[in-house]
Amino acid sequence: MDFALATQLYPEEYWYQSDSYLKDEPEFDLIQVVQQLHASLEPRTVFACFGKVIGQHLPIQGIQLAVEQQKLSWGRHHGLSLQRNLCHNDTNMAFQYQLSAPLTPLQLMQLEKIEPLFALPFINALKYQKMANQAMFDALTGLGNRHYYSQSILNALARAQRKHGKVSLVVLDLDRFKNLNDEFGHKLGDTVLMEFAKVINKAIRNTDQAFRIGGDEFVIIVQGDEDAAGILCHRIMEFIPTNPLLNQFQVQTSMGVAGHKSAQNPEQLYEIADKALYSAKADGRNGFKIDKAS
């Protein structure tokens, strides 16, 4: 896609316009803009609101924003290109605007007014997102934590009930993980947990959710019946030997599967899957058991 760089914001052929003409251009209602930008704590929503607001007043049809290793995009990305940088409270933001026409001097002034108004609610939303992630995700593996699991299983069961769908639970842990920790140290143990989490992420579908709920204990919420969960267990077992570290230390896992029945609460579903897990361990480990009798 071709971009033309807007090296002149306002070409010479328009310089004859009088100040009175420029004053006729609509001004932003800054109070309303601030209220709209502070209405959400989701960074993408704040950014989309910013794009919509300035797109209504200025010949801006698209924006790309790079900030803190994130890239956000709004609107269409063709036309004249205008690049601007903004630093707010030590946070650097790089904007690339796509223009349908060059900005007039007054329009540029309006953009310079509204950019700082966007910065504060957007950075606040980024901070809130980080705190929310820390509250919901395991710092070591990046999977959901126990608290997030508790919320997610309730939501999954309620959604399945509304839509008459199926939900299954996989409870899994690493076989003889304590022995590995004792022999090689906790640093290697942590690395094994991280690599095992990668295997889980590789095996699950987009509709499934994986969590580390403590130590080497993991759970997976599967959108589907016990057979769908069994297919997932097969994938996990196939992927483990393909991971160099897990293969080197002969890491294995045992898994228990239970499908949700209408009368069960989350605790009962977990208990049944956990019993299936210990049945798999009693059967020699490195495998899975499906409880279909519950």
Side-chain angles (χ1 to χ4, degrees):
M1 195 173 291
D2 294 327
F3 295 93
L5 181 63
T7 53
Q8 288 186 194
L9 299 176
Y10 197 47
E12 290 184 11
E13 56 264 33
Y14 296 108
W15 285 0
Y16 67 87
Q17 306 274 12
S18 68
D19 289 341
S20 62
Y21 172 81
L22 297 179
K23 291 176 182 178
D24 290 336
E25 296 187 10
E27 288 276 357
F28 288 97
D29 183 339
L30 297 182
I31 295 178
Q32 186 179 37
V33 169
V34 170
Q35 291 173 340
Q36 290 174 334
L37 292 174
H38 281 274
S40 174
L41 283 173
E42 207 289 311
R44 292 186 179 276
T45 302
V46 178
F47 177 65
C49 177
F50 173 62
K52 182 178 179 181
V53 167
I54 64 173
Q56 291 173 340
H57 293 81
L58 301 174
I60 293 174
Q61 56 190 6
I63 314 170
Q64 291 172 302
L65 172 62
V67 55
E68 293 188 353
Q69 299 180 335
Q70 295 189 51
K71 291 185 178 180
L72 294 90
S73 179
W74 172 86
R76 294 179 292 175
H77 301 292
H78 56 81
L80 301 174
S81 179
L82 171 64
Q83 296 181 352
R84 290 176 54 82
N85 294 298
L86 178 67
C87 182
H88 185 86
N89 291 342
D90 298 324
T91 300
N92 294 312
M93 291 177 278
F95 296 91
Q96 180 170 307
Y97 297 100
Q98 304 305 143
L99 313 175
S100 58
L103 295 183
T104 67
L106 182 56
Q107 287 172 339
L108 180 59
M109 290 173 58
Q110 291 176 332
L111 182 60
E112 290 172 345
K113 283 183 181 179
I114 195 173
E115 281 176 339
L117 298 181
F118 160 75
L120 180 58
F122 181 72
I123 292 173
N124 285 343
L126 287 178
K127 292 179 180 178
Y128 179 82
Q129 184 183 61
K130 288 180 181 178
M131 289 189 295
N133 286 343
Q134 290 171 354
M136 294 189 299
F137 292 94
D138 175 53
L140 180 65
T141 64
L143 301 180
N145 60 21
R146 181 183 290 272
H147 175 67
Y148 191 20
Y149 163 71
S150 299
Q151 294 179 333
S152 298
I153 189 63
L154 287 172
N155 294 337
L157 297 184
R159 185 168 56 249
Q161 185 174 6
R162 289 195 308 269
K163 299 182 178 181
H164 304 288
K166 297 286 187 180
V167 173
S168 298
L169 193 68
V170 179
V171 176
L172 60 165
D173 66 15
L174 297 180
D175 295 334
R176 301 185 177 91
F177 182 68
K178 183 180 184 302
N179 294 344
L180 185 145
N181 259 339
D182 291 344
E183 183 175 355
F184 298 102
H186 290 282
K187 184 175 182 180
L188 176 67
D190 286 349
T191 304
V192 166
L193 292 173
M194 289 188 287
E195 293 301 311
F196 185 62
K198 292 178 183 178
V199 166
I200 293 176
N201 274 327
K202 182 180 177 182
I204 64 176
R205 304 164 300 176
N206 291 336
T207 54
D208 303 327
Q209 293 175 279
F211 308 84
R212 179 189 177 214
I213 59 173
D216 64 323
E217 301 175 69
F218 298 82
V219 292
I220 304 172
I221 300 173
V222 180
Q223 298 298 322
D225 60 13
E226 299 97 325
D227 293 332
I231 293 172
L232 169 60
C233 292
H234 275 296
R235 285 203 300 269
I236 291 174
M237 293 184 66
E238 290 173 357
F239 290 160
I240 286 177
T242 66
N243 181 286
L245 181 73
L246 301 185
N247 187 55
Q248 177 185 350
F249 290 94
Q250 299 180 326
V251 173
Q252 297 176 341
T253 183
S254 295
M255 296 170 276
V257 176
H260 179 252
K261 305 300 186 289
S262 58
Q264 293 171 345
N265 60 37
E267 290 77 18
Q268 291 168 329
L269 177 62
Y270 177 87
E271 182 179 346
I272 294 169
D274 195 45
K275 286 181 179 178
L277 162 65
Y278 280 94
S279 177
K281 287 188 178 295
D283 204 31
R285 296 184 172 88
N286 192 34
F288 66 93
K289 290 288 184 180
I290 298 177
D291 185 293
K292 291 190 175 182
S294 55

